[in-house]
């Protein structure tokens, strides 16, 4: 059973473990966004946004992002955005649901929130959530794959499965197989993993896949924090994991591509994905949806102009090109929530409303 009501005391524990955060000692200030999207420091005088000069006037931009993006955000986008936008990127990656819970409880007040599912934004909308989010834009699509360790004793069989010569689930049912995934309570990928297995039961005519492999929604022998799941694989602690395709690409690990019918990566299959369900403890039924990463600037952001410039950088600028090279799939800037609340400098990017 899925339980999404997390106690504040639990959130305190979440906020202190396994986080990926960049640090900065410079003082934060507000900034203005130029017509080309670059940030010009209110105290700066060079006017050259292509050169990053970390002064007391450099804007410290707090970005909370989906934990699966840790490598690309910390090693590529963060450093390059520093230079291009004249900011000091301060990132933190975790499961998107966990991040939303931390924002709702006041443990974090980011300038930008990047989630792995629109549902994480929904946790922050409305008066009961202090209207922390009023809009969000689609950032990119992705799909689930089975990433595996070339060091695994099952690597040969998994390689055969990747070629379609052996059912992947038969390998996972082998005694001693070590499987990793994320927590469905804290991370959309953890939910998507459950949806994928339920879709696979029908697709492969294997009605016991969930009970044979996952055992339960929150099987503690399989669940790891989102931001450390890949390291469990690369260090050989597990044989295979459910990953986003972009994770397997950026970590250069072999993976098994799954059919569109079960990988949650094709928006045209949304109706079919919705047939997979999870019933929460309160009786609410959740349906499978296509995987969609989103971006927003919360209403309580300390640096909204800088946050908006960073969002534009990722949606249509060089940051977007980095994401595509990293294995994401491009999608138009469709909005969720209130179109009128989208900042004016992003309005010309909007291509429609998310269904």
């Amino acid at each position: 059973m899925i339980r999404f009501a997390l106690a504040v005391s639990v959130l305190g524990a979440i906020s202190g473990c396994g986080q990926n955060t960049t640090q900065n000692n410079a003082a934060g200030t507000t900034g203005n966004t130029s017509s080309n999207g670059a940030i010009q420091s209110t105290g700066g005088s060079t006017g050259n946004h292509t050169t990053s000069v970390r002064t007391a006037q450099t804007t410290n931009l707090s970005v909370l992002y989906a934990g699966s993006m840790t490598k690309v955000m910390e090693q590529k986008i963060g450093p390059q955005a520093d230079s291009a936008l004249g900011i000091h990127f301060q990132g933190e990656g975790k499961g998107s649901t966990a991040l939303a819970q931390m924002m709702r409880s006041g443990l974090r007040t980011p300038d930008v929130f990047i989630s792995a599912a629109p549902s994480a934004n929904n946790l922050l909308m409305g008066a009961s959530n202090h209207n922390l989010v009023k809009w969000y834009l689609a950032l990119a699509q992705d799909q689930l794959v089975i990433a595996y360790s070339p060091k695994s004793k099952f690597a040969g069989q998994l390689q055969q499965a990747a070629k379609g010569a052996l059912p992947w689930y038969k390998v996972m049912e082998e005694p001693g197989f070590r499987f990793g995934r994320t927590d469905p309570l804290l991370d959309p990928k953890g939910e998507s993993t459950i949806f994928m297995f339920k879709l696979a039961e029908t697709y492969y005519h294997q009605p016991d896949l969930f009970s044979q492999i996952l055992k339960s929604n929150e099987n503690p022998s399989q669940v790891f924090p989102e931001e450390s799941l890949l390291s469990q694989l690369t260090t050989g602690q597990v044989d295979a994991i459910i990953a986003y395709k972009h994770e397997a690409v950026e970590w250069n690990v072999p993976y098994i591509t799954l059919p569109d019918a079960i990988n949650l990566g094709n928006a045209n299959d949304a109706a079919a994905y919705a047939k997979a369900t999870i019933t929460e403890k309160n009786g609410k039924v959740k349906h499978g949806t296509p995987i969609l990463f989103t971006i927003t600037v919360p209403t309580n952001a300390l640096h909204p102009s800088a946050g908006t410039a960073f969002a534009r950088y990722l949606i249509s600028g060089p940051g977007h090109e980095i994401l595509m090279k990293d294995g994401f799939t491009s999608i138009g800037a469709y909005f969720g929530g209130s179109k009128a609340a989208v900042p004016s400098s992003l309005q010309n990017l909007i291509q429609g409303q998310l269904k």
Side-chain angles (χ1 to χ4, degrees):
M1 305 291 280
I2 299 295
R3 292 176 285 105
F4 286 95
L6 298 180
V8 172
S9 59
V10 174
L11 289 168
I14 290 171
S15 66
C17 65
Q19 64 186 34
N20 295 279
T21 309
T22 54
Q23 299 296 325
N24 180 14
N25 293 323
T29 62
T30 57
N32 298 321
T33 306
S34 68
S35 59
N36 62 5
I39 301 165
Q40 298 170 331
S41 169
T42 53
S45 59
T46 64
N48 182 0
H49 63 266
T50 62
T51 301
S52 176
V53 180
R54 293 184 182 178
T55 68
Q57 288 75 37
T58 301
T59 299
N60 294 329
L61 191 74
S62 171
V63 180
L64 298 189
Y65 57 80
S68 66
M69 302 176 73
T70 296
K71 189 170 185 177
V72 68
M73 293 300 291
E74 297 297 332
Q75 297 185 11
K76 296 179 181 178
I77 289 176
Q80 294 190 34
D82 279 1
S83 176
L85 302 177
I87 61 172
H88 190 186
F89 174 86
Q90 293 184 311
E92 181 177 354
K94 289 185 182 298
S96 300
T97 306
L99 290 173
Q101 297 285 1
M102 291 164 66
M103 293 166 64
R104 190 164 65 177
S105 63
L107 291 173
R108 295 290 188 278
T109 53
D111 298 306
V112 178
F113 175 44
I114 301 173
S115 73
S119 60
N121 295 287
N122 296 336
L123 295 173
L124 301 169
M125 289 183 157
S128 61
N129 299 309
H130 309 292
N131 292 307
L132 291 175
V133 167
K134 291 187 175 181
W135 63 272
Y136 56 88
L137 293 178
L139 183 61
Q141 292 178 302
D142 210 334
Q143 62 182 264
L144 296 182
V145 300
I146 299 172
Y148 62 93
S149 170
K151 302 175 184 177
S152 166
K153 67 179 181 180
F154 299 99
Q157 295 177 67
L158 291 165
Q159 188 175 35
Q160 289 299 307
K163 295 178 180 177
L166 183 67
W168 55 265
Y169 50 85
K170 291 296 184 185
V171 185
M172 288 189 174
E173 290 172 347
E174 290 280 346
F177 191 91
R178 299 165 302 171
F179 177 55
R181 56 189 173 104
T182 58
D183 190 340
L185 296 179
L186 304 175
D187 176 50
K189 187 168 62 184
E191 278 190 344
S192 294
T193 298
I194 295 172
F195 291 136
M196 186 277 277
F197 269 82
K198 292 190 173 182
L199 291 168
E201 287 183 338
T202 302
Y203 184 80
Y204 295 111
H205 306 291
Q206 299 288 324
D208 297 327
L209 280 187
F210 180 92
S211 60
Q212 289 295 322
I213 298 176
L214 298 189
K215 310 293 184 184
S216 66
N217 284 349
E218 302 161 45
N219 184 346
S221 68
Q222 298 178 345
V223 170
F224 298 92
E226 163 69 304
E227 60 273 21
S228 66
L229 183 62
L230 258 297
S231 64
Q232 294 292 327
L233 182 72
T234 57
T235 57
Q237 301 302 304
V238 296
D239 297 301
I241 64 171
I242 296 296
Y244 293 126
K245 180 182 176 182
H246 85 265
E247 295 177 285
V249 171
E250 70 181 22
W251 285 84
N252 195 29
V253 293
Y255 63 91
I256 300 170
T257 300
L258 300 169
D260 279 359
I262 67 172
N263 68 16
L264 301 170
N266 190 336
N268 294 326
D269 289 334
Y273 298 157
K275 294 177 182 178
T277 62
I278 296 173
T279 302
E280 300 179 27
K281 188 176 182 179
N282 60 10
K284 181 180 178 181
V285 177
K286 300 194 72 173
H287 296 265
T289 58
I291 295 167
L292 179 66
F293 283 68
T294 70
I295 189 167
T296 188
V297 177
T299 56
N300 62 346
L302 297 178
H303 308 103
S305 294
T308 300
F310 186 78
R312 189 178 181 92
Y313 180 80
L314 286 185
I315 294 170
S316 65
H320 186 73
E321 296 176 9
I322 294 173
L323 291 178
M324 296 307 105
K325 291 179 181 177
D326 201 58
F328 284 95
T329 300
S330 186
I331 186 174
Y334 293 86
F335 77 93
S338 169
K339 182 180 180 181
V342 177
S344 58
S345 61
L346 299 178
Q347 286 282 345
N348 68 329
L349 300 179
I350 295 176
Q351 298 181 21
Q353 184 173 12
L354 289 168
K355 297 180 180 178

